[in-house]
Amino acid sequence: LPDGRTFLEAVVAGVRAADPALVTVVVGPWWGTDPADATPEGCSVVVNPDPDRGQITSIRTAFAAAGIGWSGVLVALVDHPAVRPETFAAIAAVHAEDPESILVPVTTGDGGLVRRGHPVIFPEWSFPDLLGPATDVGGAREVLRAWPRRVREIPTVDVGIVGTVVVDGDAEA
């Protein structure tokens, strides 16, 4: 990033703004011999042995390492480093008030198009769906499709939620 941080450092800083009990970073097998060497301090690091099978395998790898005794899980993507820390904190605050909803940030783009983004918080009741076969092909998005009435969209002006990255001072989607 222009400020010298890696994407991972930026995302972990955002996640920490949500004040989670645990931060688990999932890396691929190509990461190197010691993933902790390049991982921000205080994070648990686990290796997804087969990331080519989809993003859901990283979520499952994190669950295997961290367990499932949580009120929810915040899923953040490393290719979304421009999400503001305030957005992470706001979504976590909504989860504290409404721990039963799947929380998805939304922003309005050009032409009034509303776009969903990341990070997403999945509540505890959804963990079996995330870990089950329904997500094998379509990933975590299938949980949102299966439970549309339990999805709560959180409006934000943060365009970083849709994967906007700042490159050389300019924003690119």
Side-chain angles (χ1 to χ4, degrees):
L1 295 171
D3 64 8
R5 294 181 301 162
T6 66
F7 280 27
L8 179 59
E9 289 169 332
V11 172
V12 168
V15 168
R16 286 191 172 135
D19 197 26
L22 174 69
V23 177
T24 301
V25 175
V26 181
V27 299
W30 58 82
W31 187 259
T33 56
D34 189 358
D37 287 345
T39 303
E41 188 176 331
C43 295
S44 169
V45 180
V46 294
V47 177
N48 178 353
D50 196 9
D52 292 336
R53 290 186 39 231
Q55 206 172 64
I56 193 67
T57 62
S58 290
I59 292 172
R60 291 175 179 165
T61 299
F63 271 119
I68 58 172
W70 309 94
S71 67
V73 61
L74 183 147
V75 176
L77 306 179
V78 75
D79 63 353
H80 286 58
V83 176
R84 297 176 186 158
E86 300 83 27
T87 301
F88 284 94
I91 290 172
V94 173
H95 175 70
E97 297 169 9
D98 182 8
E100 296 300 315
S101 291
I102 300 170
L103 304 177
V104 181
V106 296
T107 193
T108 304
D110 293 336
L113 177 67
V114 176
R115 296 181 64 189
R116 287 181 170 179
H118 286 87
V120 175
I121 294 183
F122 291 93
E124 183 178 26
W125 64 261
S126 70
F127 294 177
D129 288 346
L130 288 169
L131 298 170
T135 56
D136 285 348
V137 176
R141 173 175 311 133
E142 294 302 323
V143 178
L144 279 72
R145 287 185 186 127
W147 299 98
R149 291 193 172 141
R150 298 194 80 178
V151 174
R152 181 172 171 188
E153 294 182 338
I154 309 302
T156 180
V157 296
D158 185 352
V159 295
I161 69 163
V162 294
T164 301
V165 179
V166 177
V167 179
D168 296 328
D170 295 324
E172 297 181 1

